[in-house]
Amino acid sequence: MVAVNDPSSPSTPSPTGSTSGGPAVPEDGAWWRHAVVYQVYVRSFADGDGDGVGDLPGITSRLPHLRDLGVDALWITPFYTSPQHDHGYDVADYRDVDPLFGSLSDADDLLARAHELGLKVIVDLVPNHTSDQHPWFQAALAAGPGSPERERYMFVEGRGQDGELPPNNWPSVFGGDAWTRVTEADGTPGQWYLHLFDSTQPDLNWRNPEVGDEFESVLRFWLDRGVDGFRVDVAHGLFKQEGLPDTELPDPDADGPASMVELAGLDEPMWDQPEVHEVYRRWHRVLADYDDSPRGRRMAVAESWARTAEAIARYVRPDELQQSFNFHWLSAAWSAQEFADVVTETLPSLLPYGATPTWVLSNHDVVRHVTRYGGGELGLARGRAATLAMLGLPGSAYLYQGEELGLEQVEVAPEDRTDPSWFRTKDTAKPDIGRDGCRVPIPWDDEQPPYAFGPAAPGSQPWLPQPDGWAGLSVAAQTGAAGSTLEFYRRALAARRSFALTAGESVDLLDAGPDLFAYRRGPLVCVLNAGSEPADLPDGVGALVLSSGPEPTSTLAPDTAAWFLDA
Ligand code: NOJ
């Protein structure tokens, strides 16, 4: 048995408090520490006006689903004014709602209704880059080289005799070069600007104090409206190494498809620079200003694809952000050893800072985990098992819309693709396959598209076409259906609520053989069988609480996880 966290750590508060209704909130008000957060991809959750694209009124109308599911909070992807080249991660106005999604008053209604239902709301913040339609970028283009307007972005002279070569060799995460050359007002080829993502997403210059001041003001704008937290997009990207040196490029012949995960995880001059942490110290102070507000404490979770657990943990030092996504759980293969390794590296890395871990299996940037685990019945069984193993661990779990329905990745036809990373990589040896296919609008009811996603005419397709055969997977079809994935999630979340705050933050990994990932956490024992044969349960396993598949007897079926009470 290996103890991977020290329960006596003075920096680990002992949680107590309410466990019924709304988030399980420790006495210090840090509601996020063990929360289950549900990610709403705004374009694809619920369409209130029938235009085929999800919106804020649609989300508000479907909030009871999230209450009934038993989550504590929702994170909503960007709904701000945007030309939608990267579906909202290209923001043209950080203080308004895009008409496609509604209005500021719809955002206020959503917040009010969510709070009425006991749900916290986290909004997405995109500080690494703006849209090229943002007034700052338009002003920078017009003002020309050397102007204060250009200083807000990463405008640089090119290399080569006439500046005809990009300033360095950085690749865009979405494929192709990370630099685009502009044409100056007099018609001559001019400076280059950096875009770590699409060319419509110019990177901001965080060494310019004006940028930091602007984002503090944006944070306060949404905090004053009542949001409970922020998910910080590309949190590890804001600062680039001084001098913008060339980077070591990934081996083009390495196995595996190109993806955000692969490229954004590189340990390179554009990621995870030390200066970024000063930004999060400042944001910590901004969030703390709201500690005594009527809505209670606020938080931020970093999307940081830093390379090691230690590097990720630096974002949650006590004077920085509250959480950081732990993508290592998501990247683990279906293997007892790999699951155990992620736990073993994650928990001790956070211990010095007193932060709780986060766990996630799917989001809007990666192939849905049922498909990653093999698809079909096998993938679903493994997906449910990995979910149960994740939900038993201390800390916060992030769920992605549709995983509670067991949805798989959809094969989206080339002519229906919308993802900029697809267009930038489709003609290469490694096209990005991860994103349109996990973003298809989710089915709520009915026999055919749009499956009550919105009030559009039966048979009409939303912005990304839904497949045939989703009727049986809809929320309505699965509600109350014995053995359905939706009912499994509801039961798991209800059971978790009863121990989330009391089971402590210490995990003992149990040595149960090479195929079993097994751990004890307070009164809970979780066992997952990643092997291909039924496996004997480890000693010390008491009454069954919940199984992701067939109920275990003295053995646990392959591709199944179960929770037990400690004997
Ligand atoms: C990460 C987001 O999750 C992704 O969807 C987006 O394309 C990039 N950041 C760029 O903002």
Side-chain angles (χ1 to χ4, degrees):
M1 187 173 88
V2 193
V4 288
N5 204 345
D6 177 8
S8 60
S9 160
S11 57
T12 305
S14 128
T16 54
S18 151
T19 57
S20 61
V25 181
E27 269 171 0
D28 64 0
W31 57 267
W32 54 86
R33 287 184 72 83
H34 299 280
V36 176
V37 183
Y38 182 100
Q39 181 190 351
V40 168
Y41 191 69
V42 59
R43 297 177 66 91
S44 304
F45 185 68
D47 171 15
D49 60 8
D51 66 355
V53 181
D55 48 40
L56 299 186
I59 298 174
T60 306
S61 73
R62 293 294 190 181
L63 288 173
H65 169 66
L66 303 188
R67 179 210 43 207
D68 297 346
L69 183 58
V71 302
D72 302 303
L74 58 150
W75 145 35
I76 311 174
T77 56
F79 48 76
Y80 318 109
T81 312
S82 159
Q84 299 290 308
H85 288 299
D86 189 21
H87 298 338
Y89 286 96
D90 48 327
V91 181
D93 182 350
Y94 288 83
R95 297 180 186 79
D96 207 350
V97 173
D98 197 286
L100 186 62
F101 302 129
S103 62
L104 275 176
S105 126
D106 291 326
D108 292 341
D109 290 349
L110 191 163
L111 284 167
R113 180 71 179 130
H115 292 153
E116 226 169 69
L117 295 174
L119 296 163
K120 301 280 186 184
V121 180
I122 296 172
V123 297
D124 225 304
L125 186 73
V126 188
N128 180 67
H129 44 264
T130 69
S131 158
D132 62 355
Q133 298 307 306
H134 191 286
W136 274 11
F137 192 73
Q138 290 298 313
L141 288 180
S147 63
E149 287 83 354
R150 288 229 168 156
E151 274 306 298
R152 294 170 176 151
Y153 292 90
M154 305 290 292
F155 278 92
V156 185
E157 301 299 329
R159 292 197 283 205
Q161 214 176 341
D162 297 311
E164 72 280 12
L165 299 173
N168 65 28
N169 70 348
W170 294 3
S172 153
V173 173
F174 286 171
D177 276 348
W179 295 95
T180 291
R181 193 172 195 188
V182 299
T183 303
E184 303 297 357
D186 63 3
T188 58
Q191 290 187 304
W192 297 73
Y193 67 90
L194 176 69
H195 50 87
L196 290 180
F197 295 88
D198 190 52
S199 55
T200 59
Q201 294 167 294
D203 279 51
L204 286 161
N205 173 16
W206 274 85
R207 295 186 192 275
N208 179 345
E210 220 188 316
V211 173
D213 292 346
E214 168 67 359
F215 274 88
E216 172 165 345
S217 152
V218 170
L219 281 172
R220 290 188 188 277
F221 177 85
W222 288 102
L223 289 166
D224 290 339
R225 288 197 108 84
V227 305
D228 302 286
F230 298 93
R231 175 264 189 192
V232 183
D233 190 60
V234 200
H236 61 320
L238 314 192
F239 279 81
K240 284 76 184 175
Q241 194 175 315
E242 292 275 23
L244 308 176
D246 273 352
T247 188
E248 200 179 312
L249 292 169
D251 174 1
D253 299 325
D255 283 345
S259 71
M260 300 236 332
V261 181
E262 188 185 326
L263 281 167
L266 293 174
D267 185 11
E268 298 199 319
M270 64 288 258
W271 307 121
D272 201 28
Q273 299 300 304
E275 296 93 326
V276 80
H277 293 285
E278 246 347 286
V279 175
Y280 301 131
R281 293 196 178 96
R282 178 173 183 179
W283 291 9
H284 182 96
R285 296 192 295 273
V286 172
L287 294 167
D289 281 349
Y290 292 78
D291 276 357
D292 298 324
S293 64
R295 281 248 18 96
R297 293 183 65 183
R298 319 293 173 96
M299 58 80 77
V301 52
E303 185 214 22
S304 161
W305 292 90
R307 195 181 264 266
T308 62
E310 287 68 31
I312 295 172
R314 284 200 284 272
Y315 289 77
V316 295
R317 286 179 283 198
D319 59 348
E320 297 195 36
L321 302 183
Q322 286 68 26
Q323 290 187 329
S324 184
F325 286 123
N326 173 14
F327 293 117
H328 295 183
W329 182 256
L330 174 157
S331 319
W334 178 253
S335 142
Q337 188 60 52
E338 287 206 24
F339 288 136
D341 288 347
V342 176
V343 172
T344 309
E345 70 175 21
T346 301
L347 296 188
S349 72
L350 297 167
L351 206 53
Y353 310 129
T356 49
T358 64
W359 312 99
V360 56
L361 282 165
S362 278
N363 65 32
H364 65 295
D365 291 328
V366 300
V367 173
R368 282 189 177 276
H369 62 268
V370 169
T371 305
R372 291 202 314 269
Y373 288 143
E377 280 182 24
L378 175 74
L380 182 60
R382 290 180 172 179
R384 286 168 55 144
T387 300
L388 201 61
M390 165 175 97
L391 290 175
L393 290 166
S396 215
Y398 282 76
L399 309 179
Y400 177 50
Q401 66 178 39
E403 70 170 82
E404 79 278 23
L405 306 176
L407 296 188
E408 292 203 43
Q409 189 79 359
V410 175
E411 192 58 57
V412 178
E415 62 274 20
D416 293 325
R417 295 278 184 166
T418 69
D419 176 3
S421 72
W422 161 259
F423 291 106
R424 293 178 68 98
T425 57
K426 69 183 169 54
D427 298 325
T428 70
K430 292 182 178 181
D432 188 284
I433 49 163
R435 308 208 316 166
D436 280 317
C438 64
R439 296 173 173 181
V440 174
I442 65 172
W444 292 92
D445 200 351
D446 294 348
E447 295 303 310
Q448 57 175 328
Y451 298 112
F453 167 62
S460 65
Q461 284 285 12
W463 70 281
L464 279 175
Q466 296 166 308
D468 292 335
W470 262 12
L473 294 175
S474 74
V475 173
Q478 294 198 46
T479 296
S484 74
T485 300
L486 177 58
E487 289 302 335
F488 162 70
Y489 268 71
R490 287 179 175 159
R491 288 180 63 194
L493 292 176
R496 174 188 157 100
R497 195 173 278 275
S498 69
F499 64 75
L501 284 188
T502 49
E505 295 176 6
S506 166
V507 172
D508 292 329
L509 288 180
L510 307 178
D511 183 6
D515 290 338
L516 294 191
F517 168 60
Y519 63 85
R520 180 181 287 122
R521 175 182 168 217
L524 180 81
V525 174
C526 176
V527 187
L528 177 147
N529 184 357
S532 51
E533 300 294 330
D536 290 337
L537 292 170
D539 294 340
V541 160
L544 176 71
V545 178
L546 182 62
S547 172
S548 67
E551 286 217 347
T553 48
S554 59
T555 59
L556 182 67
D559 308 311
T560 305
W563 285 348
F564 304 89
L565 290 176
D566 204 357

